[in-house]
Amino acid sequence: MRIGILKGNRSSTRIELPISSEVLLLQSQAGSFQYRFQPGLPPEIFGELVQKLEHLRSESRPREQRLDCSVSVQTLLDVTYEAADPKVAGANRHLRVTHRRKEENGTQSWSEGGQAIVKTKHDSLDLYSGRQAQEGGPAFDIRVAFASEETLAGKSPSPQTHQVMMRREKHR
């Protein structure tokens, strides 16, 4: 599940539908209404959500009203490689290797490559959260995606053995 913003295909802003509650959207194959899902949140929306969560988990709230959760931070680096053998990765043809940031003696580095993963995307559902009254907080949308991941046996790819398609650093 990912949080993000639903935008019109030719727009840089969130779509505005005359709907005040949540609704499941289906991509139209022949219709005029088409949109795209942009994962992530603009900083102002993310900041408001963090403040709201901090308030909900605050020690100053009565225990029965307090949100019980903890905060942890993790930095990952996903490196996507083109599969050298198309039969290995199937139609996807991409392999992903995830590295974790580690710190030793004050020096930060990335862990050695983990297992190579082939991800197969099956389908997704988009949930438009509706128009929000300002007191309800910032508006954002949700995508639920269905995918399977398969770990490949053998040696993981590296920049020395495979072509790097993309590098993405993620902060969680």
Side-chain angles (χ1 to χ4, degrees):
M1 185 171 78
R2 298 195 74 177
I3 294 176
I5 304 290
L6 293 171
K7 295 183 174 186
N9 278 347
R10 293 178 178 82
S11 174
S12 62
T13 60
R14 183 172 182 261
I15 58 175
E16 284 293 326
L17 300 176
I19 300 167
S20 60
S21 64
E22 296 81 11
V23 65
L24 189 62
L25 298 180
L26 302 174
Q27 282 281 10
S28 170
Q29 294 181 1
S32 61
F33 174 65
Q34 295 189 348
Y35 65 91
R36 61 189 164 87
F37 181 81
Q38 180 177 331
L41 295 174
E44 62 276 5
I45 293 176
F46 181 77
E48 282 186 52
L49 288 174
V50 168
Q51 286 179 344
K52 195 169 196 171
L53 284 172
E54 287 297 325
H55 173 71
L56 290 172
R57 65 184 284 265
S58 171
E59 295 285 331
S60 64
R61 295 177 62 92
R63 183 178 278 298
E64 62 276 358
Q65 294 179 3
R66 192 177 318 144
L67 179 65
D68 188 25
C69 66
S70 61
V71 176
S72 64
V73 177
Q74 184 180 51
T75 303
L76 304 172
L77 174 66
D78 283 344
V79 182
T80 304
Y81 299 92
E82 183 172 8
D85 181 357
K87 289 180 254 173
V88 171
N92 189 337
R93 296 199 52 151
H94 295 117
L95 306 172
R96 184 187 76 231
V97 178
T98 300
H99 306 267
R100 286 175 173 40
R101 178 169 280 164
K102 60 182 184 177
E103 188 169 335
E104 292 177 14
N105 302 327
T107 304
Q108 292 184 351
S109 63
W110 297 106
S111 64
E112 293 299 318
Q115 289 292 310
I117 304 288
V118 175
K119 182 176 188 175
T120 304
K121 296 178 182 179
H122 300 292
D123 207 352
S124 63
L125 299 171
D126 294 322
L127 183 69
Y128 178 71
S129 64
R131 290 186 176 182
Q132 300 282 328
Q134 197 60 14
E135 66 272 5
F140 61 87
D141 305 300
I142 296 174
R143 169 168 279 181
V144 179
F146 304 95
S148 58
E149 293 186 348
E150 179 184 351
T151 303
L152 295 180
K155 189 173 180 181
S156 290
S158 71
Q160 292 78 27
T161 61
H162 291 73
Q163 181 180 351
V164 174
M165 304 299 293
M166 178 181 76
R167 296 170 63 92
R168 178 176 67 174
E169 194 170 316
K170 300 188 292 190
H171 305 280
R172 294 183 170 174

